[in-house]
Amino acid sequence: MMDLSPIFVLSITIIVMLFSLFVFKIGTKWCTILTVCGLSLALLCSSIMGYKISINNQVITDISSDNMQIPTKSTTEVDLSSSQEETIPVNAASTEPASTENKSNNVGSNIKVEPNADIDELQIKQSKVDEDKSVDDNSAESSNSKTMEKKKAPASPFNDTQTKLADKKSVNVNNKNVQFATSQKTELDNERNINALFTCDGFGLLYTSLILIISIIVTFFAYRWFKQELKSHGLFYVILLFMTLGGVTLVYASHLMAFFVGIELLSIPFVGLIGYQYIQTHSLEAAVKYMILSAVASAFLLMGIAFYYATTGELTFSGLSYQLSTMTYLSTLLLMGVCLMLVGIGFKLSLVPFQLWLPDVYQGAPTVVALLLSTVGKVAIFCAIARLFLLAPIVNNETIRIILVIMAFCSILWGNLFAFMQSNLKRLLAYSSIAHFGYLLIALIAVQYQVLALETIGVYLIGYILSNICILGVISLESHSNELQDHENEVDLSGLFWRKPILALAMGIGLLSLAGAPLTIGFIGRFLLVLLGVTAELWWLIAAVVIGSALGLYFYARLIINLYIKPTYRDDLLSDFIINIKREKIRLSELFIIFSALLIVICGVYPKWIFSLVNMAQYLTS
């Protein structure tokens, strides 16, 4: 069960963490170390599985591309008068004696057996030669035969034996290659199709690795956020591990029940994380709102799955794909099931008209939890939905397609218009998140262009994750858990460049990437979205992307300018700025932010390697 090793490692880490908390009463520092070790081990297992799958895919591709015909030559060459090269077909082992005899008796006929020659064609040629010979006189035939006997030595029995052995060897090699390719294919299918509930493939392992990396980064941010408090916060890391386990389970899911369990295992810990620091303003309000609305959305989702099962009789993604592809038309019950599922999914992804809860929850949650909610909470769900939509042709129905187009169009415009009016940075990012997942919904609508859709989803999500790490990471490092509110307003971050220039530069790069500015990975993702929309002829959505990008460029630029505003009350600003550059400490948390900003720029300037990474993450189609 190596395929499920990330889930096993996370489960064991949770057990060890609970045992250490209740028995040894470990503090926040040791909880951080234990959490990082467990997440790192799970990330290592995920990387090993990804490497193994990519190697197996490469081996099968190499074998299938090989030419299965093997030309052979006799080890002992006999100088025949015709001096013809002997080439033996691999799949015609039973015809060698006949071809050898024809060669010795019909030297005048230029019959050459090619590797891909058809046996019937050879027999037709041989029959024509025999008919020509029968026309000749008996005397001429006898004289010709005598002359040929003088000119040609008899065929060596040793040569015939070597020819048969060489041909038999070539056939054995061919059979071994075919058996090896079949065994490798069977082994790979067994690795990917773990059981009916989970699928281990490159698509899932890529996003599993991203979820684990985000969780490791948030673990360090949370330690810095709790640093000024003396009491232990081990419970926070236990809930974080449960949330990560839910995200990984959701990405692995290939069954609607595993999909539902993964969503609940992801959503329920978020209630505890959002209301964890209950002394902060709006924290309990945000937790209660999320809990109630999440329960209602889960009820809609479960009812939709029940209607789905009542119509198709299948719960696996591959079974749904077969049932939907064989249906001539979608029944009313199935359409109701899909619509109810879209209600639950729309809430989890905060798409219009199910988005009203998101700004309040972002504002009330701690910044590190808002980072988890905007990345892990949405990326895991979107990847599971992408797998379902790519396998099951749901969007081929015109009614469902129109519903998704309306949701995407309204999400893009609603998110950008309301973000335009925000001064609180976390509320602004909440509305921006609505718009960004409206952009990504274009990839699901244009699902028939599967390769381009997968590449677009991968590149866009990676850019979105890196940008959120840069922005929310800086806000988290500027805040502390013993304060009533994080430093999330524009006033709190005004002139950050003159206090912490490196962090301000990284945050500015993250904002530019979200705006889709050139030379950033955000621009590459936005370009792929437009290209995909043009290919699918989604002109209304392309217009919404253009308008939303123009609006987004304004409020993102406003935040960037705010970071570089010079304080008017400081006379010795330049000297203090030089001192701040020299004294600015680069710890591990700051290093994560700086590295994310560098990746944003590198992928924007040279995106080839990110395309290669996404291309390797192929999903399982059967």
Side-chain angles (χ1 to χ4, degrees):
M1 297 298 287
M2 181 65 180
D3 306 293
L4 291 176
S5 54
I7 297 178
F8 291 151
V9 170
L10 289 174
S11 303
I12 293 171
T13 305
I14 291 172
I15 296 173
V16 173
M17 177 75 76
L18 290 172
F19 182 80
S20 302
L21 282 174
F22 287 107
V23 176
F24 299 107
K25 310 292 182 182
I26 60 176
T28 305
K29 182 177 180 180
W30 284 104
C31 287
T32 304
I33 294 174
L34 190 58
T35 303
V36 171
C37 290
L39 293 172
S40 301
L41 184 58
L43 179 61
L44 179 62
C45 294
S46 177
S47 302
I48 292 174
M49 284 305 306
Y51 177 76
K52 185 178 178 181
I53 288 178
S54 65
I55 290 298
N56 285 341
N57 281 332
Q58 185 63 36
V59 168
I60 292 174
T61 302
D62 292 342
I63 291 176
S64 62
S65 62
D66 284 343
N67 188 359
M68 302 305 290
Q69 284 81 21
I70 305 174
T72 60
K73 291 185 180 180
S74 305
T75 54
T76 305
E77 295 183 356
V78 180
D79 186 14
L80 301 177
S81 60
S82 60
S83 66
Q84 294 181 349
E85 182 180 357
E86 182 179 3
T87 309
I88 303 172
V90 172
N91 296 323
S94 61
T95 63
E96 282 81 29
S99 62
T100 307
E101 184 179 357
N102 292 336
K103 194 177 183 78
S104 60
N105 294 332
N106 303 298
V107 181
S109 61
N110 294 325
I111 300 176
K112 184 178 180 180
V113 183
E114 298 295 337
N116 295 323
D118 193 355
I119 299 175
D120 296 334
E121 294 179 357
L122 295 177
Q123 292 175 352
I124 291 171
K125 291 180 180 180
Q126 185 62 38
S127 62
K128 289 181 178 179
V129 172
D130 293 338
E131 290 176 0
D132 293 338
K133 286 181 60 180
S134 62
V135 177
D136 293 336
D137 238 11
N138 289 333
S139 60
E141 183 180 356
S142 61
S143 62
N144 286 337
S145 62
K146 289 179 182 179
T147 306
M148 294 303 298
E149 284 175 1
K150 291 179 182 179
K151 290 184 179 179
K152 183 177 79 72
S156 174
F158 179 74
N159 183 28
D160 293 338
T161 304
Q162 290 295 327
T163 302
K164 293 178 182 179
L165 291 175
D167 182 64
K168 186 176 181 181
K169 182 178 179 181
S170 64
V171 174
N172 290 334
V173 172
N174 182 21
N175 294 333
K176 287 180 180 179
N177 284 335
V178 174
Q179 291 174 359
F180 179 70
T182 306
S183 64
Q184 289 290 335
K185 179 64 176 174
T186 305
E187 180 183 356
L188 184 59
D189 288 341
N190 291 334
E191 289 171 356
R192 288 176 165 186
N193 293 300
I194 304 170
N195 48 44
L197 296 178
F198 302 107
T199 296
C200 179
D201 55 6
F203 181 79
L205 289 172
L206 172 64
Y207 296 105
T208 297
S209 302
L210 288 177
I211 289 172
L212 293 171
I213 290 172
I214 297 167
S215 301
I216 292 172
I217 294 174
V218 169
T219 302
F220 285 102
F221 286 162
Y223 178 72
R224 288 283 299 275
W225 193 65
F226 288 125
K227 195 171 184 180
Q228 293 189 0
E229 292 193 37
L230 299 177
K231 62 179 182 179
S232 176
H233 291 281
L235 183 61
F236 180 89
Y237 294 99
V238 174
I239 302 175
L240 174 63
L241 286 172
F242 271 110
M243 184 274 308
T244 308
L245 178 61
V248 174
T249 303
L250 192 57
V251 171
Y252 266 78
S254 61
H255 192 281
L256 285 177
M257 283 297 100
F259 173 73
F260 180 76
V261 171
I263 283 184
E264 292 307 300
L265 195 56
L266 180 70
S267 301
I268 294 174
F270 266 124
V271 178
L273 291 175
I274 291 169
Y276 182 82
Q277 201 67 7
Y278 55 86
I279 62 171
Q280 287 192 332
T281 309
H282 308 301
S283 179
L284 289 178
E285 177 189 352
V288 171
K289 283 183 178 180
Y290 183 82
M291 179 181 64
I292 295 174
L293 294 176
S294 179
V296 173
S298 298
F300 276 100
L301 181 62
L302 193 58
M303 183 61 71
I305 292 174
F307 285 174
Y308 220 165
Y309 177 73
T311 307
T312 62
E314 286 285 350
L315 287 176
T316 60
F317 290 0
S318 57
L320 287 172
S321 174
Y322 174 75
Q323 292 291 336
L324 292 176
S325 60
T326 55
M327 284 184 176
T328 55
Y329 65 94
L330 297 184
S331 64
T332 305
L333 187 63
L334 181 58
L335 284 175
M336 289 177 60
V338 173
C339 292
L340 289 173
M341 288 179 64
L342 288 178
V343 172
I345 294 167
F347 171 83
K348 303 297 182 182
L349 295 178
S350 63
L351 297 170
V352 174
F354 314 105
Q355 83 294 348
L356 294 176
W357 61 274
L358 190 66
D360 294 335
V361 171
Y362 265 53
Q363 186 179 10
T367 305
V368 288
V369 178
L371 176 58
L372 281 174
L373 192 60
S374 64
T375 53
V376 175
K378 292 191 173 184
V379 168
I381 295 173
F382 194 86
C383 292
I385 296 303
R387 186 192 294 276
L388 174 62
F389 276 37
L390 286 168
L391 291 179
I394 298 174
V395 295
N396 289 346
N397 182 267
E398 191 64 27
T399 303
I400 299 174
R401 187 181 178 87
I402 291 173
I403 292 173
L404 291 175
V405 168
I406 293 173
M407 289 176 66
F409 184 84
C410 295
S411 298
I412 293 171
L413 294 184
W414 178 282
N416 285 297
L417 283 173
F418 278 84
F420 187 81
M421 300 180 289
Q422 301 300 318
S423 60
N424 185 289
L425 193 56
K426 286 203 295 189
R427 292 184 70 89
L428 185 148
L429 291 177
Y431 283 111
S432 173
S433 174
I434 297 171
H436 282 289
F437 279 87
Y439 295 145
L440 274 171
L441 203 57
I442 298 175
L444 292 185
I445 296 170
V447 73
Q448 62 268 28
Y449 307 99
Q450 293 182 2
V451 177
L452 188 57
L454 284 178
E455 290 180 351
T456 303
I457 291 171
V459 173
Y460 201 97
L461 283 179
I462 291 174
Y464 179 77
I465 289 170
L466 294 175
S467 301
N468 276 274
I469 290 173
C470 291
I471 300 169
L472 292 172
V474 171
I475 298 175
S476 177
L477 294 182
E478 287 289 296
S479 309
H480 302 287
S481 61
N482 57 359
E483 297 173 336
L484 293 178
Q485 190 175 359
D486 289 342
H487 296 175
E488 58 196 41
N489 294 315
E490 291 186 23
V491 178
D492 299 326
L493 297 173
S494 180
L496 179 65
F497 176 75
W498 304 97
R499 302 192 309 271
K500 295 182 177 180
I502 298 178
L503 289 182
L505 184 62
M507 187 176 182
I509 292 174
L511 290 169
L512 286 174
S513 179
L514 285 181
L519 301 182
T520 63
I521 190 174
F523 174 77
I524 303 298
R526 198 73 56 86
F527 174 78
L528 288 176
L529 275 176
V530 173
L531 180 62
L532 185 61
V534 171
T535 306
E537 298 182 356
L538 301 171
W539 306 115
W540 284 99
L541 291 182
I542 294 174
V545 169
V546 173
I547 296 172
S549 299
L551 292 173
L553 187 61
Y554 170 78
F555 58 76
Y556 287 128
R558 185 188 69 196
L559 293 176
I560 295 171
I561 293 172
N562 186 62
L563 295 175
Y564 294 89
I565 292 177
K566 292 183 179 180
T568 56
Y569 57 88
R570 299 290 300 274
D571 296 332
D572 53 347
L573 184 63
L574 184 59
S575 59
D576 286 350
F577 173 71
I578 297 174
I579 293 173
N580 288 334
I581 293 178
K582 294 180 179 179
R583 291 183 178 179
E584 189 173 5
K585 296 180 180 179
I586 306 298
R587 300 183 180 91
L588 194 57
S589 301
E590 286 86 351
L591 198 60
F592 284 130
I593 297 174
I594 295 171
F595 186 68
S596 299
L598 289 176
L599 283 179
I600 289 173
V601 177
I602 292 172
C603 294
V605 175
Y606 186 73
K608 183 178 179 180
W609 74 272
I610 196 72
F611 289 152
S612 301
L613 178 64
V614 175
N615 282 331
M616 287 190 297
Q618 297 298 322
Y619 73 102
L620 185 61
T621 57
S622 60

